[in-house]
Amino acid sequence: MAGEVAVVGFAQAPNVRRTHGTTNGVEMLVPVFAELLAATGLSKRDIGFWCSGSSDYLAGRAFSFIAAVDAIGAWPPIAESHVEMDAAWALYEAWVKIRTGEVDTALVYGFGKSSAGDLRRVLALQLDPYLVAPLWPDSVGVAGLQARLGLAAGLWTQRQMAEVAARGQRDVDELLARPYVADPLRAHDCAPITDGAAAVVLASAERAGELCARPAWITGIEHRVETPNLGARDLTTSPSTVAAAEAAGAEGIELAELHAPFSHQEILLRQALGLGERVRVNPSGGALAGNPMFAAGLARIGEAASRIHSGAAGRVLAHATSGPLLQQNLVCVMEGR
Amino acid sequence: MAKQLAAVIGTGQTHHTAKRQDVSMAGLCREAIDRAMADAGVDWPEIDAVVLGKAPDLFEGVMMPELFLADALGATGKPLLRVHTAGSVGGSTGNVAASLVQSGVHRTVLAVAFEKQSESNAMWALSILPPFSMPVGAGAGGYFAPHVRSYIRRSGAPEHIGAVVAAKDRRNGARNPYAHLKQPDITVESVRSSPMLWDPIRYDETCPSSDGAAAVVIADESVASGRPAAWIHATAMRTEPTTFAGRDQVNPQAGRDAAAALWREAGITDPLSEVDVAEIYVPFSWFEPMWLENLGFSELGQGWKLTEAGETALGGRLPVNPSGGVLSSNPIGASGLLRFAEAAMQVMGRAGEHQVDGARIALGHAYGGGSQYFSLWVVGAERPGAR
């Protein structure tokens, strides 16, 4: 249908604890682009629009995304843009661009090398710089407060949190015997520090069929942000996710990829979205299995889309988050036809 | 899907100055936003989404400040995008906001861009040495001075041209109530006697460091009809790599490609005749003739002749930067959106003391990085195609 956009390709770098390249992502992105272009049969000159997501603070320098453009080999010059957000929002910008009719393909990418710094402290700088950040509340400690609120409200238990982390493959009792990192969070409740990158190709209705046997059609994509004032939010649910999902038409979902960097957040999101027992959640392992900052949200969209590409699912939901304690959330609903 | 019409229906900006210590970052943004929304005559329920642009986060020392600014930006409960494309970001912010309307996704979008340089130290932020990267260690002036020298050598431009630009833009700035620098009495001679910073760029030929913000409200045809509006005729963005053998930093291909795409979309075949006023990103004086050529307003090597003849002054054939431009105010992340907003103000007839009489078609231009990121738009007093 005219105006529709589909995910027609997805590739990602290995999600690893540490890489030895620069913080601008080039070494991780070059093979990812090669894989993606080979799979879709496109060359870089065929791409109508490029859009990326990354963070200078994570990279420890200004303009890291400019250096990342060297992974493209942007010559002749390209139509390109960048968001200082998870690349799921770069995908949103590219989806908008295709819908203007200006271009019919877009390549979206995100990258993050968390191993270069101290992620817990870096993320503290997302908090209110006048009143909160000077106290250096680190990201794991803040998440622990959220987990504690849910425990106190009876919305989840530490065993349920461990069951999320175990995914039926590890001994829950053994996990619960381990020490706390930030009470009530244990190591298995927290996403690992990860270096990585991800990329997705989007195409218009006119092009998608020739690039992918079974495109993942985006039937709705929406995002919302909440107040930064942690004390003013109900931290045990996610109104912005609920609003985005409602606007995106999240019904009849068979499979969901949720961007939950902490085990309790996967439960929280599942509850907020009303995903029943029959919805398969995070078959990829989710962010708890690999959390490349600024790429992990885009990877959720790519992972969910790949289940449609393979025919394993018919209608899927992908979720991405940004900011402290799920402050900003994006929901992308896709289907195969 | 056919592209929807979009128009600027309101603009706002702060009083720009070196240190706005009377306001927080939130207050700075809100000052521009409140003016833009009053100018547009819209209230918060009508704003569907917010786009925030600014240059590197290290300039304020806050990671992704749009997160802590969500309430102040009026974005809470709505979609919020954060754009960052180096110095061109203000322009990109306008273009992304326009695309949200042109795609039919939203009806009314608020675009905001800011920089509060007094919160941190831009020179420090730009001087971090990443491993494996060639250190520049020169700041922006030292980086661009060789490009200017190369331009002078290639074009044979006389050495006072830069001073002509600086004197014109600072005098224009004196007509703009929001400008950081207001120097009504500056002359070509006084510019040429100011200290040399990065040969051939003198102190008075250099942009200031400013705190400031800009905002525009962009709406679809159903909202904009019947209101004062600057209709968006074309937008363009192009990027090229920072360094490679054979790259032309003086007349970058990305800028030429962006301009060609822009004029094509706007249906403009002779920019110098058809554009009434241009707000061009000129942080160092000599970039006026350089960008005049890059944008196609003149033949290669001839841009300085327009400047020398006074054609880029108010009353000339193509007034450039009647607002005073970046040379008079430079809140980096906002500077591009200021160019875009000032272009819109001109065709809406709302530029006050620096209004160009009868302006119907205006250019907004921004560039960033090592002259490698370009964002442009053309706005008009009439709907596209109505000329």
Side-chain angles (χ1 to χ4, degrees):
Chain A
M1 206 174 94
E4 287 204 301
V5 178
V7 174
V8 297
F10 167 57
Q12 62 185 321
N15 285 206
V16 296
R17 177 63 183 86
R18 187 172 285 102
T19 53
H20 299 284
T22 57
T23 58
N24 57 40
V26 169
E27 296 87 346
M28 296 188 286
L29 287 168
V30 167
V32 169
F33 291 166
E35 180 186 338
L36 198 49
L37 293 174
T40 51
L42 292 165
S43 76
K44 70 183 183 190
R45 289 198 186 202
D46 297 325
I47 301 296
F49 182 63
W50 300 75
C51 200
S52 62
S54 67
S55 162
D56 278 349
Y57 254 99
L58 191 75
R61 58 168 298 190
F63 303 127
S64 59
F65 63 94
I66 296 183
V69 168
D70 283 341
I72 299 170
W75 189 259
I78 56 173
E80 189 253 356
S81 189
H82 171 262
V83 296
E84 194 84 354
M85 312 173 79
D86 187 284
W89 279 266
L91 183 141
Y92 181 86
E93 184 181 331
W95 171 80
V96 168
K97 187 80 167 177
I98 293 175
R99 284 177 61 97
T100 65
E102 287 179 33
V103 301
D104 55 15
T105 55
L107 194 153
V108 181
Y109 61 97
F111 61 93
K113 180 177 159 141
S114 298
S115 67
D118 184 343
L119 184 63
R120 289 171 70 160
R121 279 178 69 83
V122 170
L123 291 177
L125 294 170
Q126 290 182 331
L127 296 160
D128 181 318
Y130 300 114
L131 301 171
V132 185
L135 303 170
W136 289 96
D138 76 276
S139 57
V140 178
V142 173
L145 294 174
Q146 184 184 38
R148 177 59 66 195
L149 284 168
L151 290 168
L155 295 169
W156 52 74
T157 64
Q158 294 192 37
R159 172 165 292 274
Q160 286 171 323
M161 289 160 58
E163 284 167 355
V164 167
R167 299 224 189 272
Q169 294 178 23
R170 294 162 77 185
D171 181 350
V172 171
D173 288 319
E174 194 269 325
L175 290 179
L176 287 171
R178 295 191 183 180
Y180 290 118
V181 175
D183 185 356
L185 299 176
R186 297 178 173 87
H188 61 256
D189 294 309
C190 309
I193 306 290
T194 310
D195 290 358
V200 161
V201 174
L202 296 180
S204 66
E206 292 73 24
R207 297 294 306 282
E210 68 186 77
L211 300 173
C212 179
R214 188 173 146 85
W217 295 99
I218 296 173
T219 62
I221 180 167
E222 295 279 345
H223 59 99
R224 300 285 187 275
V225 69
E226 294 178 33
T227 176
N229 187 338
L230 297 179
R233 289 172 53 194
D234 179 356
L235 295 171
T236 62
T237 184
S238 181
S240 55
T241 303
V242 173
E246 193 172 276
E251 300 105 26
I253 301 301
E254 301 161 25
L255 180 153
E257 281 282 340
L258 304 178
H259 186 189
F262 297 93
S263 61
H264 70 275
Q265 291 178 342
E266 185 172 311
I267 301 171
L268 184 161
L269 288 165
R270 196 172 178 143
Q271 291 172 349
L273 288 164
L275 300 176
E277 288 302 313
R278 295 172 65 177
V279 177
R280 200 169 166 213
V281 172
N282 284 343
S284 69
L288 290 175
N291 187 36
M293 297 300 294
F294 302 94
L298 179 67
R300 302 282 71 71
I301 297 174
E303 289 281 6
S306 69
R307 278 14 184 228
I308 287 176
H309 296 161
S310 71
R315 191 168 163 84
V316 301
L317 179 152
H319 159 268
T321 196
S322 177
L325 303 184
L326 307 174
Q327 186 190 347
Q328 189 171 21
N329 296 282
L330 178 147
V331 171
C332 178
V333 179
M334 295 170 282
E335 67 180 24
R337 287 171 191 161
Chain B
M1 171 174 279
K3 197 190 267 189
Q4 308 292 306
L5 288 179
V8 176
I9 59 168
T11 66
Q13 60 186 292
T14 56
H15 289 280
H16 314 296
T17 190
K19 295 181 192 293
R20 281 295 307 267
Q21 288 174 329
D22 57 323
V23 287
S24 63
M25 284 175 251
L28 189 75
C29 288
R30 196 54 181 261
E31 194 173 302
I33 292 168
D34 288 349
R35 288 190 177 121
M37 290 181 61
D39 192 44
V42 299
D43 202 353
W44 287 110
E46 295 157 79
I47 300 295
D48 297 325
V50 181
V51 183
L52 179 79
K54 63 166 248 75
D57 290 357
L58 282 73
F59 282 4
E60 284 82 16
V62 185
M63 183 179 187
M64 301 157 73
E66 68 280 3
L67 293 168
F68 102 89
L69 290 171
D71 288 345
L73 298 171
T76 298
K78 294 175 180 175
L80 170 64
L81 277 173
R82 160 68 195 287
V83 180
H84 176 16
T85 62
S88 71
V89 65
S92 304
T93 304
N95 282 352
V96 170
S99 73
L100 286 169
V101 173
Q102 291 168 330
S103 63
V105 172
H106 294 306
R107 291 179 63 189
T108 309
V109 175
L110 174 66
V112 187
F114 84 97
E115 207 73 68
K116 199 157 189 293
Q117 295 202 58
S118 63
E119 296 275 339
S120 178
N121 183 326
M123 193 69 191
W124 163 78
L126 293 173
S127 304
I128 294 171
L129 295 180
F132 315 118
S133 294
M134 184 176 69
V136 177
Y143 185 88
F144 289 119
H147 303 177
V148 171
R149 285 201 296 277
S150 182
Y151 172 75
I152 293 170
R153 177 179 54 77
R154 289 189 201 180
S155 67
E159 65 178 49
H160 69 282
I161 295 297
V164 171
V165 175
K168 168 191 64 101
D169 282 5
R170 292 279 166 79
R171 284 199 300 264
N172 287 349
R175 295 165 167 266
N176 177 356
Y178 296 107
H180 179 171
L181 299 177
K182 298 184 179 74
Q183 300 177 341
D185 302 322
I186 196 170
T187 64
V188 173
E189 293 68 34
S190 71
V191 173
R192 294 187 75 188
S193 61
S194 68
M196 184 66 79
L197 292 185
W198 309 277
D199 190 2
I201 302 172
R202 292 179 183 275
Y203 181 78
D204 280 349
E205 297 176 86
T206 305
C207 57
S209 286
S210 312
D211 287 355
V216 301
V217 179
I218 298 176
D220 72 3
E221 192 172 17
S222 69
V223 176
S225 292
R227 299 178 191 240
W231 296 90
I232 297 169
H233 289 210
T235 63
M237 285 161 65
R238 290 293 185 279
T239 303
E240 69 183 43
T242 317
T243 49
F244 63 91
R247 176 169 181 244
D248 187 351
Q249 287 95 335
V250 178
N251 185 24
Q253 185 70 42
R256 286 190 284 160
D257 287 1
L262 186 82
W263 302 136
R264 191 166 53 244
E265 187 185 348
I268 288 172
T269 52
D270 179 2
L272 186 60
S273 299
E274 296 177 64
V275 176
D276 299 315
V277 52
E279 283 281 342
I280 301 176
Y281 203 105
V282 177
F284 303 100
S285 60
W286 282 92
F287 276 87
E288 176 177 296
M290 288 163 68
W291 292 146
L292 285 172
E293 295 172 23
N294 190 248
L295 285 162
F297 284 112
S298 81
E299 296 295 316
L300 207 56
Q302 307 296 309
W304 62 269
K305 292 179 181 171
L306 288 173
T307 301
E308 186 180 46
E311 298 289 13
T312 60
L314 276 167
R317 195 169 170 199
L318 177 74
V320 173
N321 295 328
S323 68
V326 180
L327 281 172
S328 297
S329 311
N330 188 32
I332 300 176
S335 288
L337 193 59
L338 285 169
R339 307 281 71 69
F340 279 41
E342 288 282 354
M345 288 159 61
Q346 289 288 347
V347 300
M348 293 166 85
R350 292 184 173 183
E353 291 290 303
H354 59 283
Q355 177 70 44
V356 172
D357 287 341
R360 310 295 290 171
I361 295 288
L363 168 74
H365 164 278
Y367 87 99
S371 298
Q372 62 191 118
Y373 274 79
F374 294 86
S375 300
L376 312 167
W377 81 10
V378 168
V379 288
E382 318 280 346
R383 285 172 174 73
R387 286 187 293 144

